[in-house]
């Protein structure tokens, strides 16, 4: 069982335990003796099962179990101590078991709320709030059931509830230092010499034709995707961005291209958003070859989805053979690009540059010829070997370059089962193919660093964010949501290790701007294949990734989940050079 499914199983068991305790309490109140005892026994079994899930989760990593060990376990123990005896020696009048059983239900519910609303890290504040809630609700039930607790008991309950509430609120609401990431001065544009490649991109609303339908889009130069920008290593690119009428502003972010900070296109961090009628000129040297893409970073969850993206390819030399880009996107629910078929003469080398511009993972399968994955996220792999009938998963924002030599028979690329590019008709059932694991593909070379100057851990989860104007159920990092996640401060030249832990139930495609990270390990298993220098990687539920990078690109860099609605809902922080 993976840690991800264990996290889900633990939630289900908790809900069952709650249902058992509360149902048992209600049945006792209604004097349904047998039912009450059955439900309570069921709750007891579920509660003991949690002892196992929590232990295994704690073993997988403290991040997965902290609040369960520190808050849920003591509350469950209290539940069992209070309700258990009623079960072993059922009272003559079953009604007197109602309050203890309800108490057990409240205690378990309150621990579940801690997991769902706050998660990691477990704090004394949340623990106290949880206790206050349990005591208060139990006291109310007690009264409602017409029981007459003695004065001392009611007083004690009141004192415990109020103290826990006050202490908990105080601890939970203690101000954190606000990070100074936004609204600083934007840095000067760096001089990079005379441009050798010039492009103009004009952002505006447009109607584009997809699968025979007219779709309202936001587009660069009225097309989705925008124009393909190509360059040769050594070129100086100059891209002039105009905003015709995108009222929420536009920028250009060069996804995966480690440009100087001032050219990175993050509104509010590296530049102001380009508003209708305005323009911004980007200039940078193309010194990394590979497959990249560009997209707006202004309200990016909407802008990218609506079509403000395009391909950036930098070649080491003019292309030879067939060199095709396949930027996959979903526009108004319709898949892009349109399928394309072109015969290729046998013996011709073909390079497919696969790009996932959506917010979720896609599955790619190349049928009809052995192929090699030669680059991921723009970086060449070392010692890539031929693959046959193998699928690859590309995370949101990620790129894979696949190469093959055209055989005499047709070849086809399927994306999620749909043929997107082919050299002729191919029918292949690719859905059962095994997946390529890039961590074990190719030939290893030793990690270039033996020590780390800085180590950071990012625990990804969901939680209640009460700091904005309206409360929201945010996607969180270390229990906080943008803009309240403290920035990670590094010095130029530092070797930085990041541990990224996903304790939520959904995939988070992680993306650090301005740097490629070297994968060290996933779930405790060291990467044994080619060195993997990534800018986008899927951290699945229960995953723990360890990656490292050299801090060699000064500035203020976004570091976020590339499921863009998640980033918008809080899962975004910054790396800054101090
Ligand atoms: Cu492709 Cu910050 O994003
Ligand atoms: Cu995410």
């Amino acid at each position: 069982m993976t840690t991800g499914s264990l996290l889900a199983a633990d939630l289900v068991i908790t809900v069952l335990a709650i249902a058992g305790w509360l149902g048992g309490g209600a049945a006792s109140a209604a004097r349904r003796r047998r039912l009450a005892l059955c439900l309570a026994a069921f709750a007891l079994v579920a509660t003991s099962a949690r002892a196992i899930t929590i232990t295994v989760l704690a073993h997988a990593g403290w991040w997965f179990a902290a609040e369960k060990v520190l808050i849920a376990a003591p509350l469950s123990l209290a539940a069992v101590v209070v309700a258990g005896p009623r079960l072993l020696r059922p009272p003559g009048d079953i009604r007197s078991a109602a309050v203890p059983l309800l108490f057990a239900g409240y205690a378990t519910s309150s621990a579940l709320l801690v997991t769902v609303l706050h998660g990691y890290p477990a704090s004394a504040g949340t623990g106290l709030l949880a206790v206050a809630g349990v005591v208060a609700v139990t006291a109310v039930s007690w009264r409602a059931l017409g029981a007459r607790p003695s004065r001392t008991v009611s007083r004690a309950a009141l004192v415990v509830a109020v103290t826990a509430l006050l202490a908990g609120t105080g601890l939970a609401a203690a101000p954190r230092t606000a990070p100074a990431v936004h609204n600083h001065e934007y840095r000067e544009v760096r001089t990079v010499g005379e441009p050798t490649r010039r492009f103009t991109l004009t952002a505006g609303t447009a109607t584009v034709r997809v699968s025979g339908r007219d779709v309202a889009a936001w587009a660069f130069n009225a097309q989705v995707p925008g124009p393909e920008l190509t360059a040769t290593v050594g070129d100086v690119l100059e891209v002039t961005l105009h905003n015709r009428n995108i009222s929420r502003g536009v920028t250009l972010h060069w996804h995966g291209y480690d440009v100087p900070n001032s050219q990175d296109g993050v509104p509010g961090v590296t530049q102001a958003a380009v508003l209708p009628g305005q323009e911004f000129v980007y200039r940078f040297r193309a010194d990394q070859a590979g497959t990249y893409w560009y997209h707006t970073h202004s309200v990016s969850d909407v802008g990218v989805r609506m079509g403000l993206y395009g391909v950036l390819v930098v070649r080491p030399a003019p292309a030879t053979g067939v060199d095709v880009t396949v930027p996959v996107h979903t526009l108004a629910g319709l898949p892009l690009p349109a399928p394309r078929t072109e015969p290729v003469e046998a013996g011709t080398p073909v390079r497919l540059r696969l790009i996932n511009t959506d917010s979720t993972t896609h599955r790619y399968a190349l049928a009809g010829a052995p192929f090699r994955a030669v680059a991921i996220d723009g970086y060449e792999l070392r010692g890539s070997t031929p693959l046959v009938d193998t699928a690859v998963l590309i995370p949101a924002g990620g790129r894979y370059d696949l190469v093959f030599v055209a055989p005499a028979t047709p070849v086809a690329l399927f994306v999620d089962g749909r043929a997107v590019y082919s050299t002729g008709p191919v029918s292949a059932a690719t859905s059962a193919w095994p997946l390529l694991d890039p961590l074990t593909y190719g030939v290893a070379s030793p990690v270039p660093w033996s020590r780390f100057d800085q180590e950071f851990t990012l625990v990804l989860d969901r939680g209640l964010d009460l700091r904005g104007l309206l409360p929201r159920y945010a996607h969180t990092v270390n229990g906080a949501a943008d803009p309240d996640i403290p920035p990670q401060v590094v010095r130029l030249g530092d070797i930085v290790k990041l541990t990224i832990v996903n304790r939520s139930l959904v995939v988070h495609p992680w993306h650090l701007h301005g740097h490629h990270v070297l994968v060290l390990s996933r779930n405790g298993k060291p990467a044994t294949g080619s060195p993997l220098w990534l800018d986008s990687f899927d951290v699945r539920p229960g995953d723990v990734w360890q990656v490292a990078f050299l801090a060699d690109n000064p500035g203020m860099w976004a570091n976020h989940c590339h499921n863009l609605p998640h980033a918008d809902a809080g899962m975004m922080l910054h790396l800054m050079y101090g």
Side-chain angles (χ1 to χ4, degrees):
M1 204 169 186
T2 64
T3 308
S5 32
L6 208 59
L7 284 167
D10 183 68
L11 274 184
V12 172
I13 298 174
T14 311
V15 170
L16 291 177
I18 292 171
W21 291 130
L22 294 181
S28 316
R31 295 213 164 80
R32 308 268 311 267
R33 188 184 177 87
R34 276 185 72 102
L35 182 63
L37 292 176
C38 281
L39 286 170
F42 173 76
L44 200 60
V45 172
T47 305
S48 340
R50 276 202 89 195
I52 303 170
T53 51
I54 294 180
T55 312
V56 180
L57 284 172
H59 195 75
W62 179 242
W63 320 281
F64 298 117
E67 91 292 0
K68 298 180 182 74
V69 172
L70 297 175
I71 298 171
L75 281 173
S76 298
L77 202 64
V80 170
V81 165
V82 171
R86 302 326 197 261
L87 210 55
L88 292 179
R89 237 173 292 124
D93 178 7
I94 194 67
R95 224 170 166 247
S96 70
V99 172
L101 293 180
L102 289 175
F103 165 79
Y106 300 147
T108 316
S109 311
S110 140
L112 177 67
L113 283 179
V114 170
T115 291
V116 170
L117 298 182
H118 183 72
Y120 185 88
S123 68
T126 32
L128 288 169
L129 287 177
V131 169
V134 175
V135 174
V137 182
T138 308
V140 169
S141 307
W142 207 332
R143 293 238 143 178
L145 286 173
R148 297 206 137 272
S150 71
R151 283 222 146 156
T152 355
V153 171
S154 336
R155 284 225 181 107
L158 190 70
V159 170
V160 172
V162 170
T163 322
L165 184 67
L166 292 179
T169 318
L171 287 171
R176 269 179 273 190
T177 45
V181 166
H182 296 275
N183 304 320
H184 60 99
E185 296 263 296
Y186 302 123
R187 282 156 31 94
E188 285 288 308
V189 173
R190 196 179 283 185
T191 48
V192 283
E194 263 306 291
T196 56
R197 298 280 284 164
R198 289 193 165 85
F199 301 95
T200 301
L201 297 178
T202 302
T205 53
T207 304
V208 297
R209 196 118 186 114
V210 185
S211 315
R213 271 178 48 189
D214 280 337
V215 170
W218 296 358
F220 289 117
N221 300 5
Q223 63 181 82
V224 176
E228 186 163 314
L229 310 186
T230 58
T232 308
V233 170
D235 272 337
V236 173
L237 267 72
E238 181 184 274
V239 184
T240 304
L241 168 68
H242 293 287
N243 181 355
R244 190 161 50 77
N245 66 349
I246 303 294
S247 54
R248 303 180 73 176
V250 185
T251 63
L252 290 176
H253 168 59
W254 312 98
H255 184 111
Y257 219 69
D258 300 329
V259 297
N261 194 237
S262 60
Q263 309 302 300
D264 196 45
V266 179
V269 177
T270 67
Q271 67 170 97
V274 178
L275 298 175
Q278 298 182 337
E279 69 166 42
F280 191 93
V281 180
Y282 297 87
R283 239 180 248 127
F284 58 90
R285 184 177 296 279
D287 39 23
Q288 317 165 35
T291 307
Y292 299 89
W293 62 298
Y294 62 86
H295 62 81
T296 183
H297 219 287
S298 184
V299 278
S300 57
D301 60 319
V302 182
V304 178
R305 178 166 49 79
M306 291 295 285
L308 289 173
Y309 72 95
V311 171
L312 168 69
V313 174
V314 178
R315 298 192 170 85
T320 51
V322 174
D323 190 327
V324 182
T325 57
V326 187
V328 166
H329 193 77
T330 309
L331 188 63
L334 303 169
L336 281 172
R340 155 173 169 186
T341 303
E342 53 192 12
V344 174
E345 206 182 309
T348 312
V350 180
R351 187 177 190 111
L352 298 179
R353 300 174 183 269
L354 315 181
I355 308 168
N356 181 358
T357 71
D358 273 330
S359 272
T360 51
T361 316
H362 286 297
R363 184 177 186 277
Y364 300 69
L366 184 64
F371 65 96
R372 291 183 301 129
V374 290
I376 301 179
D377 286 0
Y379 277 54
E380 295 284 323
L381 299 181
R382 189 164 180 262
S384 52
T385 46
L387 296 165
V388 189
D389 292 359
T390 304
V392 300
L393 290 182
I394 306 189
R399 288 92 54 217
Y400 273 56
D401 289 18
L402 307 185
V403 300
F404 61 94
V405 175
T409 48
V411 172
L413 171 73
F414 296 87
V415 179
D416 304 326
R418 181 181 79 100
V420 168
Y421 169 86
S422 59
T423 62
V426 172
S427 68
T430 60
S431 61
W433 287 5
L435 294 170
L436 172 70
D437 180 3
L439 270 73
T440 57
Y441 180 64
V443 174
S445 67
V447 175
W449 312 303
S450 53
R451 52 163 188 101
F452 300 101
D453 304 299
Q454 300 260 18
E455 300 195 14
F456 299 105
T457 300
L458 304 177
V459 179
L460 315 181
D461 203 355
R462 294 210 75 165
L464 195 62
D465 177 19
L466 297 170
R467 278 157 207 272
L469 278 177
L470 291 173
R472 61 173 179 169
Y473 194 41
H475 287 275
T476 56
V477 179
N478 299 340
D482 182 46
D484 299 307
I485 308 171
Q488 303 170 322
V489 183
V490 298
R491 284 169 315 243
L492 186 61
D494 276 355
I495 294 151
V496 185
K497 178 161 146 188
L498 292 181
T499 301
I500 305 176
V501 180
N502 185 354
R503 48 164 281 155
S504 79
L505 299 177
V506 292
V507 178
H508 296 295
W510 205 256
H511 174 55
L512 169 64
H513 286 213
H515 307 74
H516 274 71
V517 301
L518 176 67
V519 178
L520 304 174
S521 71
R522 183 189 55 208
N523 302 334
K525 287 206 195 74
T528 54
S530 157
L532 274 183
W533 292 93
L534 305 182
D535 56 61
S536 308
F537 49 96
D538 269 345
V539 185
R540 305 183 165 280
D543 267 5
V544 178
W545 285 67
Q546 291 200 310
V547 301
F549 66 92
L550 169 66
D552 60 353
N553 198 0
M556 182 91 72
W557 300 100
N559 188 14
H560 64 95
C561 175
H562 216 282
N563 183 318
L564 297 174
H566 292 182
D568 183 60
M571 203 168 260
M572 151 93 77
L573 69 156
H574 296 84
L575 172 78
M576 75 195 245
Y577 284 65

